[in-house]
Amino acid sequence: MIDLTSLQGSRFLILGYGLSGKSAAMALKSANKHVSVCDDNKDKIDHTKNDGFEFYDDLTKIDCLVVSPGIIFQGEKTHPIIKKARDLNIDITNDVG
């Protein structure tokens, strides 16, 4: 697993809790970062809690939004959480590349 302890910021929100999002959340947790998760599929709430993560989309309490692959990042159909993060000048990154 990549060492993320030197990563700037300490509070991260993972948008999308599929395989890639879960992997990013686990890596950030291993780096002692505060990680919460948001997914449009509310059935994933139990999975996130079982893995030790909060499930919410409160952007006022994060330093960085981590967007999983497959979530629309630009254009008319940009995910609303991404739009809100941009409005709040929150750093946005993805969990691949």
Side-chain angles (χ1 to χ4, degrees):
M1 188 175 298
I2 298 172
D3 180 9
L4 300 176
T5 54
S6 65
L7 191 63
Q8 293 290 352
S10 61
R11 302 169 302 162
F12 293 80
L13 176 63
I14 307 294
L15 177 57
Y17 199 65
L19 293 175
S20 185
K22 183 175 181 176
S23 176
M26 294 295 188
L28 288 164
K29 183 178 179 179
S30 292
N32 295 317
K33 306 297 182 177
H34 180 269
V35 181
S36 55
V37 177
C38 181
D39 195 293
D40 291 339
N41 181 348
K42 299 301 182 199
D43 292 336
K44 295 193 179 187
I45 292 173
D46 289 337
H47 295 288
T48 62
K49 289 180 180 178
N50 290 340
D51 292 337
F53 301 110
E54 298 174 77
F55 187 96
Y56 74 105
D57 60 357
D58 184 356
L59 297 181
T60 64
K61 297 179 182 178
I62 67 164
D63 300 313
C64 184
L65 175 65
V66 181
V67 181
S68 295
I71 296 178
I72 299 175
F73 201 84
Q74 295 182 350
E76 290 180 19
K77 295 184 180 182
T78 299
H79 196 283
I81 291 177
I82 296 170
K83 289 179 183 179
K84 186 174 180 182
R86 287 180 179 149
D87 290 344
L88 295 171
N89 293 316
I90 293 171
D91 288 334
I92 302 171
T93 190
N94 61 43
D95 60 354
V96 294

